[in-house]
Amino acid sequence: MDKRINVAEPVAAIGTVRSLRVRSARSAQPGVVPAAVAIAGVGLDGDVHADTLSPRQVLLAGVHAYDQYRLEANALRENLLLDLDSSVLRSGALLRIGPQAVLWLTFQCEPCGHLDAHQPGLSKRIGAHRGMLARVVRGGEVRPGDAVACLQRSLPGWSDDWRERVVRILQSVPDDMVLEYKQLARLAGVSTSYCRVFPRMARDLGLSEKLVPMRSQSGKARWEGSELFDVEQGRR
């Protein structure tokens, strides 16, 4: 937890939490819960997306999207449903949820094909209303009805473009270390199916020596990428 984040500092109220959902496994549907524990640097306790090295620990969606597109409950598979338009949320902002929990907004969640099961063509129409992803930088219990407020301070933003995130991560790999394809996908917040394009991207950037497959015999140490999130503890 970043002890310098003062949850009592002046804030701008932007809404409230309508509902909470936790997804226990990738094969499961998110289930409604009366409360959830946000764990700093991890995510929501018991949620499948809780991951210390992921920029997409928590998904926030807005009731605006449900109303505008007439969606059935849970169509966006969000963790927190907020009574606002999620497209107005900006990367880098810090949101206080309830009295203690603080989320660092990372990037807009990209629309994917499963949305089309609810409405044909929805993945193309919904755009930035899909939802915003975030990391937990200060823990605490979150409940429906909790106030949502934007803190005055902020942290660095992330690009909504996965390509720009991949470039940034590759450029951050220390010269004496290497990064595995799967770990790059994890850090960039994309599916492992993207691994097939990583070698070409690294080659075009002149950074091929920094990227290796899992079974590579490279003698260099593997980089996990935790430094990307050091800003949460004020070390950058």
Side-chain angles (χ1 to χ4, degrees):
M1 178 183 73
D2 187 344
K3 299 182 184 301
R4 299 188 303 175
I5 294 178
N6 180 9
V7 296
E9 72 181 36
V11 297
I14 62 172
T16 58
V17 177
R18 284 283 188 89
S19 65
L20 291 167
R21 293 179 184 269
V22 171
R23 188 177 177 190
S24 60
R26 293 191 181 278
S27 58
Q29 288 293 320
V32 176
V33 293
V37 177
I39 303 173
V42 178
L44 298 182
D45 188 29
D47 189 76
V48 69
H49 294 292
D51 179 356
T52 57
L53 296 178
S54 172
R56 51 191 311 146
Q57 294 173 350
V58 182
L59 175 59
L60 314 175
V63 295
H64 176 83
Y66 278 91
D67 293 341
Q68 180 175 351
Y69 297 98
R70 299 181 180 180
L71 301 175
E72 60 190 60
N74 192 40
L76 300 179
R77 298 186 181 183
E78 73 281 349
N79 296 116
L80 275 66
L81 180 62
L82 311 181
D83 58 356
L84 50 77
D85 179 356
S86 65
S87 70
V88 305
L89 300 176
R90 294 293 176 260
S91 180
L94 292 172
L95 295 189
R96 188 185 71 190
I97 313 293
Q100 292 293 326
V102 177
L103 305 182
W104 169 24
L105 303 185
T106 51
F107 49 88
Q108 293 283 348
C109 185
E110 66 286 353
C112 55
H114 90 267
L115 295 176
D116 295 334
H118 299 278
Q119 287 183 25
L122 180 61
S123 61
K124 293 183 178 180
R125 297 197 313 274
I126 199 167
H129 298 288
R130 169 68 178 84
M132 173 65 83
L133 293 159
R135 282 180 60 88
V136 179
V137 295
R138 181 165 182 157
E141 188 174 71
V142 179
R143 293 179 174 275
D146 278 349
V148 179
C150 190
L151 300 185
Q152 285 189 331
R153 75 171 282 194
S154 62
L155 292 178
W158 287 58
S159 173
D160 290 339
D161 188 329
W162 68 269
R163 299 169 188 82
E164 293 181 7
R165 299 198 299 270
V166 167
V167 170
R168 173 189 171 194
I169 293 167
L170 285 174
Q171 291 175 337
S172 299
V173 179
D175 291 338
D176 60 345
M177 303 182 79
V178 291
L179 179 64
E180 293 183 356
Y181 298 168
K182 188 175 181 179
Q183 187 67 3
L184 175 54
R186 179 185 181 189
L187 295 170
V190 298
S191 165
T192 53
S193 64
Y194 286 66
C195 289
R196 65 181 182 275
V197 304
F198 291 164
R200 178 178 55 79
M201 292 183 67
R203 184 174 63 252
D204 291 345
L205 292 167
L207 298 174
S208 294
E209 75 283 355
K210 292 189 174 185
L211 191 63
V212 297
M214 183 174 64
R215 294 182 177 81
S216 168
Q217 299 302 310
S218 171
K220 291 185 177 181
R222 268 40 174 186
W223 189 61
E224 289 193 343
S226 60
E227 292 89 336
L228 295 170
F229 309 111
D230 281 351
V231 291
E232 295 174 5
Q233 286 76 39
R235 293 198 292 267
R236 278 191 177 181

